[in-house]
Amino acid sequence: MLRFIIISFTVLLSTACSNLDFSSNLDKKNFDDYFKPSRVTVYEKSQLQNLDYKFIAAVDGSSCQQEEKDRPADIKEARTNARINAAEMKANGIVFQNCLTFERDASCISNIICYGRAINVKLSDEE
């Protein structure tokens, strides 16, 4: 009798999962977007004199706290967003000029915007 119960339970359990739909956010675009900032190296202004680089464009990134329940604006998030914007321009480097904290206004309770220059640095292993 115990064997019958165990076998019945096992069959019931295995058939209960047979119609399981699995959905995931794992796709190539999510991975590309997640790792995009890591493709852009942050350089200091003093390092530019030793680099072979080309200026691409001015970039910025912001962090905005829109509601009281949101986390406050963060300089790290603003810099990361600037790196994402540089990566979208095919830059592999960025030099930050400055980050500004703005007063509360109609759109943001707290707001930080970081400005920089997107650059393309010729790396030694490139031709």
Coordinates of all heavy atoms in Angstrom, one line a residue, residues 6-92:
I6 N 3.3 6.1 -2.8 CA 4.5 6.8 -3.2 C 4.5 6.9 -4.8 O 4.8 8.0 -5.3 CB 5.8 6.0 -2.7 CG1 5.9 6.2 -1.2 CG2 7.0 6.6 -3.4 CD1 7.0 5.4 -0.6
I7 N 4.2 5.8 -5.4 CA 4.2 5.9 -6.9 C 3.1 6.8 -7.4 O 3.3 7.6 -8.3 CB 3.9 4.4 -7.5 CG1 5.2 3.6 -7.2 CG2 3.6 4.5 -9.0 CD1 5.0 2.1 -7.6
S8 N 1.9 6.8 -6.8 CA 0.9 7.7 -7.2 C 1.2 9.2 -6.9 O 1.0 10.0 -7.8 CB -0.4 7.4 -6.4 OG -0.9 6.1 -6.7
F9 N 1.9 9.4 -5.8 CA 2.3 10.8 -5.5 C 3.3 11.3 -6.5 O 3.3 12.4 -6.9 CB 2.8 10.8 -4.0 CG 3.3 12.2 -3.6 CD1 2.4 13.2 -3.4 CD2 4.7 12.5 -3.5 CE1 2.8 14.5 -3.0 CE2 5.1 13.7 -3.2 CZ 4.1 14.7 -2.9
T10 N 4.3 10.4 -6.8 CA 5.3 10.7 -7.8 C 4.8 11.1 -9.2 O 5.1 12.0 -9.8 CB 6.4 9.6 -7.9 OG1 6.9 9.3 -6.6 CG2 7.5 10.0 -8.8
V11 N 3.8 10.2 -9.6 CA 3.2 10.5 -10.9 C 2.4 11.8 -10.9 O 2.5 12.6 -11.8 CB 2.3 9.3 -11.3 CG1 1.4 9.6 -12.5 CG2 3.1 8.0 -11.6
L12 N 1.6 12.0 -9.8 CA 0.8 13.2 -9.7 C 1.7 14.4 -9.7 O 1.5 15.4 -10.4 CB 0.0 13.1 -8.4 CG -0.9 14.3 -8.2 CD1 -1.9 14.4 -9.3 CD2 -1.6 14.2 -6.8
L13 N 2.8 14.3 -9.0 CA 3.7 15.5 -8.9 C 4.4 15.8 -10.2 O 4.5 16.9 -10.6 CB 4.8 15.2 -7.8 CG 5.8 16.3 -7.5 CD1 5.0 17.5 -6.9 CD2 6.8 15.9 -6.5
S14 N 4.8 14.7 -10.9 CA 5.5 15.0 -12.2 C 4.5 15.5 -13.3 O 4.9 16.3 -14.1 CB 6.2 13.7 -12.7 OG 5.2 12.7 -13.0
T15 N 3.3 15.1 -13.2 CA 2.3 15.6 -14.2 C 1.8 17.0 -13.9 O 1.4 17.7 -14.8 CB 1.1 14.7 -14.4 OG1 0.4 14.6 -13.1 CG2 1.5 13.3 -14.9
A16 N 1.9 17.4 -12.6 CA 1.5 18.7 -12.2 C 2.4 19.8 -12.8 O 2.0 20.9 -13.1 CB 1.5 18.8 -10.7
C17 N 3.7 19.4 -13.1 CA 4.7 20.4 -13.6 C 4.8 20.3 -15.1 O 5.5 21.1 -15.7 CB 6.0 20.1 -13.0 SG 6.1 20.2 -11.2
S18 N 4.1 19.4 -15.7 CA 4.2 19.3 -17.2 C 3.7 20.5 -18.0 O 4.2 20.7 -19.1 CB 3.5 18.0 -17.7 OG 2.1 18.1 -17.5
N19 N 2.8 21.3 -17.5 CA 2.3 22.4 -18.2 C 2.9 23.7 -17.7 O 2.4 24.8 -18.0 CB 0.8 22.5 -18.1 CG 0.1 21.4 -18.8 OD1 0.6 20.9 -19.8 ND2 -1.0 20.9 -18.3
L20 N 4.0 23.6 -17.1 CA 4.7 24.8 -16.5 C 5.3 25.6 -17.7 O 6.1 25.1 -18.5 CB 5.8 24.4 -15.6 CG 6.6 25.5 -14.9 CD1 5.7 26.3 -14.0 CD2 7.8 24.9 -14.2
D21 N 4.9 26.9 -17.7 CA 5.6 27.8 -18.6 C 6.6 28.6 -17.9 O 6.4 29.1 -16.8 CB 4.5 28.8 -19.1 CG 3.6 28.2 -20.2 OD1 4.0 27.3 -20.8 OD2 2.5 28.7 -20.3
F22 N 7.8 28.7 -18.5 CA 8.9 29.4 -17.9 C 9.2 30.6 -18.8 O 9.4 30.6 -20.0 CB 10.1 28.5 -17.9 CG 11.3 29.2 -17.3 CD1 11.4 29.4 -15.9 CD2 12.4 29.6 -18.1 CE1 12.5 30.1 -15.4 CE2 13.5 30.2 -17.6 CZ 13.5 30.5 -16.2
S23 N 9.2 31.7 -18.1 CA 9.5 33.0 -18.7 C 10.7 33.6 -18.0 O 10.8 33.6 -16.8 CB 8.3 33.9 -18.7 OG 8.6 35.2 -19.1
S24 N 11.6 34.2 -18.8 CA 12.8 34.8 -18.2 C 13.2 36.1 -18.9 O 12.8 36.3 -20.1 CB 14.0 33.8 -18.3 OG 15.2 34.4 -17.9
N25 N 13.9 37.0 -18.3 CA 14.4 38.2 -18.9 C 15.8 38.0 -19.4 O 16.4 39.0 -19.8 CB 14.3 39.4 -17.9 CG 15.3 39.2 -16.8 OD1 15.8 38.1 -16.6 ND2 15.5 40.3 -16.0
L26 N 16.2 36.8 -19.5 CA 17.6 36.5 -20.0 C 17.5 36.5 -21.6 O 17.1 35.6 -22.2 CB 18.1 35.2 -19.6 CG 18.2 35.0 -18.0 CD1 18.7 33.6 -17.7 CD2 19.3 36.0 -17.5
D27 N 18.0 37.6 -22.1 CA 18.2 37.7 -23.5 C 19.4 38.5 -23.8 O 19.9 39.2 -22.9 CB 16.9 38.2 -24.3 CG 16.5 39.6 -24.0 OD1 17.4 40.4 -23.4 OD2 15.4 40.0 -24.2
K28 N 19.9 38.5 -25.0 CA 21.1 39.2 -25.4 C 21.1 40.7 -25.1 O 22.0 41.2 -24.6 CB 21.5 38.9 -26.8 CG 22.8 39.5 -27.2 CD 23.2 39.1 -28.6 CE 24.5 39.6 -29.1 NZ 25.2 40.5 -28.4
K29 N 20.0 41.3 -25.4 CA 19.9 42.8 -25.2 C 20.0 43.1 -23.7 O 20.7 44.1 -23.4 CB 18.5 43.3 -25.7 CG 18.4 44.8 -25.6 CD 17.2 45.3 -26.2 CE 17.0 46.8 -26.1 NZ 17.8 47.6 -25.2
N30 N 19.4 42.3 -22.8 CA 19.6 42.6 -21.4 C 21.1 42.5 -21.0 O 21.6 43.3 -20.2 CB 18.7 41.7 -20.6 CG 17.3 42.1 -20.6 OD1 16.9 43.2 -21.0 ND2 16.4 41.1 -20.3
F31 N 21.8 41.5 -21.5 CA 23.2 41.3 -21.1 C 24.0 42.5 -21.7 O 24.9 43.0 -21.0 CB 23.7 40.0 -21.6 CG 23.4 38.8 -20.8 CD1 22.5 37.9 -21.2 CD2 23.9 38.7 -19.5 CE1 22.1 36.8 -20.4 CE2 23.6 37.6 -18.7 CZ 22.7 36.7 -19.2
D32 N 23.7 42.8 -22.9 CA 24.5 43.9 -23.6 C 24.2 45.2 -22.8 O 25.2 46.0 -22.5 CB 24.0 44.1 -25.0 CG 24.5 43.0 -25.9 OD1 25.4 42.3 -25.5 OD2 24.0 42.9 -27.0
D33 N 23.0 45.5 -22.4 CA 22.7 46.7 -21.7 C 23.3 46.7 -20.3 O 23.8 47.7 -19.8 CB 21.2 47.0 -21.5 CG 20.6 47.3 -22.8 OD1 21.3 47.7 -23.8 OD2 19.3 47.3 -22.9
Y34 N 23.3 45.6 -19.6 CA 23.9 45.4 -18.3 C 25.4 45.7 -18.2 O 25.9 46.4 -17.3 CB 23.5 44.1 -17.7 CG 24.0 43.9 -16.3 CD1 23.2 44.4 -15.2 CD2 25.2 43.2 -16.0 CE1 23.6 44.3 -13.9 CE2 25.6 43.1 -14.6 CZ 24.8 43.6 -13.6 OH 25.2 43.5 -12.3
F35 N 26.1 45.2 -19.2 CA 27.5 45.3 -19.2 C 28.0 46.5 -20.0 O 29.2 46.7 -20.1 CB 28.2 44.0 -19.8 CG 28.0 42.9 -18.8 CD1 27.1 41.9 -19.1 CD2 28.7 42.8 -17.7 CE1 27.0 40.8 -18.2 CE2 28.6 41.8 -16.8 CZ 27.7 40.8 -17.1
K36 N 27.1 47.3 -20.6 CA 27.5 48.5 -21.4 C 28.5 49.4 -20.7 O 29.5 49.8 -21.3 CB 26.3 49.2 -21.9 CG 26.5 50.1 -23.1 CD 25.2 50.6 -23.6 CE 24.6 49.7 -24.6 NZ 23.4 50.2 -25.3
P37 N 28.2 49.8 -19.4 CA 29.1 50.8 -18.8 C 30.5 50.2 -18.6 O 31.5 51.0 -18.6 CB 28.5 51.1 -17.4 CG 27.1 50.5 -17.5 CD 27.1 49.5 -18.6
S38 N 30.6 48.9 -18.4 CA 32.0 48.3 -18.2 C 32.9 48.4 -19.4 O 34.1 48.2 -19.3 CB 31.9 46.9 -17.7 OG 31.3 46.1 -18.7
R39 N 32.3 48.7 -20.6 CA 33.1 48.8 -21.8 C 33.7 50.2 -21.9 O 34.5 50.5 -22.9 CB 32.2 48.6 -23.0 CG 31.8 47.2 -23.1 CD 31.0 46.9 -24.4 NE 29.8 46.2 -24.1 CZ 28.7 46.4 -24.6 NH1 28.5 47.3 -25.5 NH2 27.6 45.6 -24.3
V40 N 33.4 51.1 -21.0 CA 33.9 52.5 -21.1 C 34.7 52.8 -19.9 O 34.3 52.7 -18.7 CB 32.7 53.5 -21.1 CG1 33.2 54.9 -21.1 CG2 31.8 53.3 -22.3
T41 N 36.0 53.0 -20.1 CA 37.0 53.2 -19.0 C 37.0 54.7 -18.6 O 36.9 55.6 -19.5 CB 38.4 52.9 -19.5 OG1 38.4 51.5 -19.9 CG2 39.4 53.1 -18.4
V42 N 37.0 55.0 -17.4 CA 37.1 56.3 -16.9 C 38.5 56.8 -16.8 O 39.3 56.1 -16.1 CB 36.4 56.5 -15.5 CG1 36.5 57.9 -15.0 CG2 34.9 56.1 -15.6
Y43 N 38.8 57.9 -17.5 CA 40.2 58.4 -17.5 C 40.2 59.7 -16.7 O 39.2 60.5 -16.8 CB 40.7 58.6 -18.9 CG 40.9 57.3 -19.6 CD1 40.0 56.8 -20.5 CD2 42.1 56.6 -19.5 CE1 40.2 55.7 -21.2 CE2 42.3 55.4 -20.2 CZ 41.3 54.9 -21.0 OH 41.5 53.8 -21.7
E44 N 41.3 60.1 -16.1 CA 41.5 61.4 -15.5 C 42.1 62.3 -16.6 O 42.7 61.9 -17.5 CB 42.5 61.3 -14.3 CG 42.0 60.4 -13.2 CD 40.7 61.0 -12.6 OE1 40.6 62.2 -12.4 OE2 39.9 60.2 -12.2
K45 N 41.9 63.6 -16.4 CA 42.4 64.6 -17.4 C 43.9 64.5 -17.6 O 44.4 64.6 -18.7 CB 42.0 66.0 -17.0 CG 40.6 66.3 -17.0 CD 40.3 67.7 -16.5 CE 38.8 67.9 -16.3 NZ 38.5 69.2 -15.7
S46 N 44.6 64.2 -16.4 CA 46.0 64.1 -16.5 C 46.5 62.9 -17.3 O 47.7 62.9 -17.7 CB 46.6 64.0 -15.1 OG 46.1 62.9 -14.4
Q47 N 45.7 61.9 -17.5 CA 46.1 60.7 -18.3 C 46.1 61.0 -19.8 O 46.7 60.2 -20.5 CB 45.2 59.5 -17.9 CG 45.4 59.0 -16.5 CD 44.4 57.9 -16.2 OE1 43.2 58.2 -16.1 NE2 44.9 56.7 -16.1
L48 N 45.4 62.0 -20.2 CA 45.2 62.2 -21.6 C 46.4 62.5 -22.4 O 46.6 62.1 -23.6 CB 44.1 63.3 -21.9 CG 42.7 63.0 -21.4 CD1 41.8 64.2 -21.7 CD2 42.2 61.8 -22.1
Q49 N 47.4 63.1 -21.7 CA 48.6 63.5 -22.4 C 49.4 62.2 -22.8 O 50.2 62.3 -23.8 CB 49.5 64.4 -21.6 CG 49.9 63.8 -20.3 CD 50.6 64.8 -19.4 OE1 50.7 66.0 -19.7 NE2 51.0 64.4 -18.2
N50 N 49.2 61.1 -22.2 CA 49.9 59.9 -22.5 C 49.1 58.9 -23.4 O 49.5 57.8 -23.6 CB 50.3 59.2 -21.2 CG 51.2 60.0 -20.3 OD1 52.0 60.8 -20.8 ND2 51.0 59.9 -19.0
L51 N 48.0 59.4 -23.8 CA 47.1 58.5 -24.6 C 46.9 59.0 -26.1 O 47.0 60.2 -26.3 CB 45.7 58.5 -24.0 CG 45.5 57.9 -22.6 CD1 44.1 58.0 -22.1 CD2 45.9 56.4 -22.6
D52 N 46.7 58.0 -26.9 CA 46.4 58.3 -28.3 C 44.9 58.1 -28.4 O 44.3 57.0 -28.3 CB 47.1 57.3 -29.2 CG 46.8 57.6 -30.7 OD1 46.3 58.6 -31.0 OD2 47.1 56.7 -31.5
Y53 N 44.2 59.3 -28.4 CA 42.7 59.2 -28.4 C 42.1 60.2 -29.3 O 42.7 61.1 -29.8 CB 42.2 59.5 -26.9 CG 42.4 60.9 -26.5 CD1 41.3 61.8 -26.7 CD2 43.5 61.4 -26.0 CE1 41.4 63.2 -26.3 CE2 43.7 62.7 -25.6 CZ 42.6 63.6 -25.8 OH 42.8 64.9 -25.4
K54 N 40.8 60.0 -29.6 CA 40.0 60.9 -30.4 C 38.8 61.3 -29.7 O 38.1 60.4 -29.1 CB 39.7 60.2 -31.7 CG 38.8 60.9 -32.7 CD 38.5 60.1 -33.9 CE 37.3 60.6 -34.6 NZ 36.8 59.7 -35.7
F55 N 38.5 62.6 -29.6 CA 37.3 63.1 -29.0 C 36.1 62.7 -29.9 O 36.1 62.9 -31.1 CB 37.4 64.6 -28.8 CG 36.1 65.3 -28.4 CD1 35.7 65.2 -27.1 CD2 35.3 66.0 -29.3 CE1 34.5 65.7 -26.6 CE2 34.1 66.6 -28.9 CZ 33.7 66.4 -27.5
I56 N 35.0 62.2 -29.2 CA 33.8 61.8 -30.0 C 32.7 62.8 -29.8 O 32.2 63.4 -30.7 CB 33.3 60.4 -29.6 CG1 34.4 59.4 -29.9 CG2 32.0 60.1 -30.2 CD1 34.0 58.0 -29.5
A57 N 32.3 63.1 -28.5 CA 31.3 64.0 -28.2 C 31.2 64.3 -26.7 O 31.7 63.5 -25.9 CB 29.9 63.4 -28.7
A58 N 30.5 65.3 -26.4 CA 30.2 65.6 -25.0 C 29.0 64.7 -24.6 O 28.1 64.5 -25.4 CB 29.8 67.1 -24.8
V59 N 29.1 64.2 -23.4 CA 28.0 63.3 -22.9 C 27.7 63.8 -21.5 O 28.4 64.5 -20.8 CB 28.5 61.8 -22.8 CG1 28.6 61.3 -24.2 CG2 29.7 61.6 -22.0
D60 N 26.5 63.3 -21.0 CA 26.1 63.6 -19.7 C 25.3 62.4 -19.2 O 24.8 61.6 -20.0 CB 25.3 64.9 -19.5 CG 24.0 64.8 -20.3 OD1 23.2 63.9 -20.1 OD2 23.8 65.8 -21.2
G61 N 25.1 62.3 -17.9 CA 24.3 61.3 -17.3 C 23.7 61.9 -16.0 O 24.3 62.7 -15.4
S62 N 22.4 61.5 -15.7 CA 21.8 62.1 -14.6 C 21.2 61.1 -13.7 O 21.0 59.9 -14.1 CB 20.6 63.0 -15.1 OG 19.6 62.3 -15.7
S63 N 20.9 61.5 -12.5 CA 20.2 60.7 -11.5 C 19.2 61.6 -10.8 O 19.5 62.7 -10.3 CB 21.2 60.2 -10.4 OG 20.5 59.5 -9.4
C64 N 17.9 61.2 -10.9 CA 16.8 62.1 -10.5 C 15.9 61.3 -9.5 O 15.5 60.2 -9.8 CB 16.0 62.5 -11.7 SG 14.5 63.4 -11.3
Q65 N 15.7 61.9 -8.4 CA 14.7 61.4 -7.4 C 13.4 62.0 -7.8 O 13.2 63.2 -7.5 CB 15.1 61.6 -6.0 CG 14.1 61.2 -5.0 CD 14.4 61.6 -3.6 OE1 15.3 62.4 -3.3 NE2 13.7 61.1 -2.6
Q66 N 12.5 61.3 -8.3 CA 11.2 61.9 -8.8 C 10.2 62.0 -7.7 O 9.3 62.9 -7.7 CB 10.7 61.2 -10.0 CG 11.5 61.3 -11.2 CD 11.0 60.5 -12.4 OE1 10.3 59.5 -12.2 NE2 11.3 61.0 -13.6
E67 N 10.1 61.0 -6.8 CA 9.1 61.0 -5.7 C 9.8 60.8 -4.4 O 10.9 60.3 -4.3 CB 8.1 59.9 -6.0 CG 7.3 60.1 -7.2 CD 6.3 59.0 -7.5 OE1 6.0 58.3 -6.5 OE2 5.8 58.8 -8.6
E68 N 9.2 61.1 -3.3 CA 9.7 61.0 -1.9 C 10.1 59.6 -1.6 O 11.1 59.3 -1.0 CB 8.7 61.5 -0.9 CG 8.5 63.0 -0.9 CD 9.7 63.8 -0.4 OE1 10.6 63.2 0.3 OE2 9.7 65.0 -0.6
K69 N 9.3 58.6 -2.2 CA 9.6 57.2 -1.9 C 10.8 56.6 -2.7 O 11.3 55.6 -2.3 CB 8.3 56.3 -2.2 CG 8.0 56.3 -3.7 CD 6.8 55.5 -3.9 CE 6.4 55.5 -5.4 NZ 5.3 54.7 -5.7
D70 N 11.2 57.4 -3.7 CA 12.4 56.9 -4.5 C 13.7 57.2 -3.7 O 13.7 58.1 -2.8 CB 12.5 57.7 -5.8 CG 11.3 57.4 -6.7 OD1 10.7 56.3 -6.5 OD2 11.0 58.2 -7.6
R71 N 14.7 56.5 -4.1 CA 16.0 56.8 -3.4 C 16.6 58.1 -3.9 O 16.3 58.5 -5.1 CB 17.0 55.6 -3.6 CG 17.4 55.4 -5.1 CD 18.3 54.3 -5.2 NE 18.5 54.1 -6.6 CZ 19.4 53.3 -7.2 NH1 20.1 52.6 -6.4 NH2 19.5 53.3 -8.5
P72 N 17.3 58.8 -3.1 CA 17.9 60.1 -3.5 C 18.8 60.0 -4.7 O 19.4 58.9 -5.0 CB 18.7 60.6 -2.3 CG 18.1 59.8 -1.1 CD 17.7 58.5 -1.7
A73 N 19.0 61.1 -5.4 CA 19.9 61.1 -6.6 C 21.3 60.7 -6.1 O 21.7 61.1 -5.0 CB 19.9 62.5 -7.2
D74 N 22.0 60.0 -6.9 CA 23.3 59.4 -6.6 C 24.3 59.7 -7.6 O 24.1 59.5 -8.8 CB 23.1 57.9 -6.4 CG 24.4 57.2 -6.0 OD1 25.1 57.7 -5.1 OD2 24.7 56.1 -6.6
I75 N 25.5 60.2 -7.2 CA 26.5 60.6 -8.2 C 27.0 59.3 -8.9 O 27.3 59.4 -10.1 CB 27.7 61.3 -7.5 CG1 28.6 61.9 -8.5 CG2 28.5 60.4 -6.6 CD1 29.6 62.9 -8.0
K76 N 27.0 58.2 -8.3 CA 27.5 56.9 -9.0 C 26.5 56.6 -10.1 O 27.0 56.2 -11.2 CB 27.6 55.8 -8.0 CG 28.7 55.9 -6.9 CD 28.6 54.8 -6.0 CE 29.6 55.1 -4.8 NZ 29.4 54.1 -3.8
E77 N 25.3 56.7 -9.9 CA 24.3 56.4 -10.9 C 24.4 57.4 -12.1 O 24.3 57.0 -13.2 CB 22.9 56.5 -10.3 CG 21.8 56.1 -11.4 CD 20.4 56.2 -10.8 OE1 20.2 56.7 -9.7 OE2 19.5 55.8 -11.5
A78 N 24.6 58.7 -11.8 CA 24.8 59.7 -12.8 C 26.0 59.4 -13.7 O 26.0 59.5 -14.9 CB 24.9 61.1 -12.2
R79 N 27.1 59.0 -13.0 CA 28.3 58.7 -13.8 C 28.1 57.4 -14.6 O 28.6 57.4 -15.7 CB 29.5 58.5 -12.8 CG 30.0 59.9 -12.2 CD 31.0 59.7 -11.1 NE 32.2 59.0 -11.6 CZ 33.4 59.6 -11.8 NH1 33.5 60.9 -11.7 NH2 34.4 59.0 -12.2
T80 N 27.4 56.4 -14.0 CA 27.2 55.2 -14.8 C 26.3 55.5 -16.0 O 26.6 55.0 -17.1 CB 26.5 54.2 -13.9 OG1 27.4 53.8 -12.8 CG2 26.1 52.9 -14.7
N81 N 25.3 56.4 -15.9 CA 24.5 56.7 -17.0 C 25.2 57.5 -18.1 O 25.0 57.3 -19.3 CB 23.2 57.5 -16.5 CG 22.3 56.7 -15.8 OD1 22.2 55.5 -15.9 ND2 21.5 57.3 -14.9
A82 N 26.2 58.3 -17.7 CA 27.1 59.0 -18.6 C 27.9 58.0 -19.4 O 28.1 58.1 -20.6 CB 27.9 60.0 -17.9
R83 N 28.4 56.9 -18.7 CA 29.2 55.9 -19.3 C 28.3 55.1 -20.3 O 28.8 54.7 -21.4 CB 29.8 55.0 -18.3 CG 30.9 55.6 -17.5 CD 31.4 54.8 -16.3 NE 32.1 53.6 -16.8 CZ 32.4 52.6 -16.0 NH1 32.1 52.6 -14.7 NH2 33.1 51.6 -16.5
I84 N 27.1 54.9 -20.0 CA 26.2 54.2 -20.9 C 26.0 55.0 -22.1 O 26.0 54.5 -23.3 CB 24.8 53.9 -20.2 CG1 25.0 52.8 -19.1 CG2 23.8 53.5 -21.2 CD1 23.8 52.6 -18.2
N85 N 25.8 56.3 -22.0 CA 25.6 57.2 -23.1 C 26.9 57.2 -24.0 O 26.8 57.3 -25.2 CB 25.3 58.6 -22.7 CG 23.9 58.7 -22.1 OD1 23.0 57.8 -22.3 ND2 23.6 59.7 -21.2
A86 N 28.0 57.2 -23.4 CA 29.3 57.2 -24.1 C 29.4 55.8 -24.9 O 29.8 55.8 -26.1 CB 30.5 57.3 -23.2
A87 N 29.0 54.7 -24.3 CA 29.1 53.4 -24.9 C 28.2 53.4 -26.1 O 28.5 52.8 -27.2 CB 28.7 52.3 -23.9
E88 N 27.0 54.0 -26.0 CA 26.1 54.1 -27.2 C 26.7 54.9 -28.3 O 26.2 54.7 -29.5 CB 24.7 54.6 -26.7 CG 24.0 53.7 -25.8 CD 22.7 54.2 -25.2 OE1 22.4 55.4 -25.4 OE2 22.0 53.4 -24.6
M89 N 27.6 55.7 -28.1 CA 28.3 56.5 -29.2 C 29.6 55.7 -29.6 O 30.4 56.3 -30.4 CB 28.7 57.8 -28.6 CG 27.6 58.7 -28.3 SD 28.2 60.3 -27.7 CE 26.7 61.1 -27.3
K90 N 29.7 54.5 -29.2 CA 30.9 53.6 -29.5 C 32.2 54.1 -28.9 O 33.3 53.8 -29.5 CB 31.0 53.5 -31.1 CG 29.8 53.0 -31.8 CD 29.4 51.6 -31.4 CE 28.2 51.1 -32.3 NZ 27.2 50.5 -31.5
A91 N 32.1 54.9 -27.8 CA 33.3 55.3 -27.2 C 33.8 54.2 -26.2 O 33.0 53.4 -25.8 CB 33.0 56.6 -26.3
N92 N 35.1 54.2 -26.0 CA 35.7 53.2 -25.0 C 36.3 53.9 -23.8 O 36.9 53.3 -23.0 CB 36.7 52.3 -25.7 CG 37.9 53.0 -26.2 OD1 38.0 54.2 -26.1 ND2 38.8 52.2 -26.8

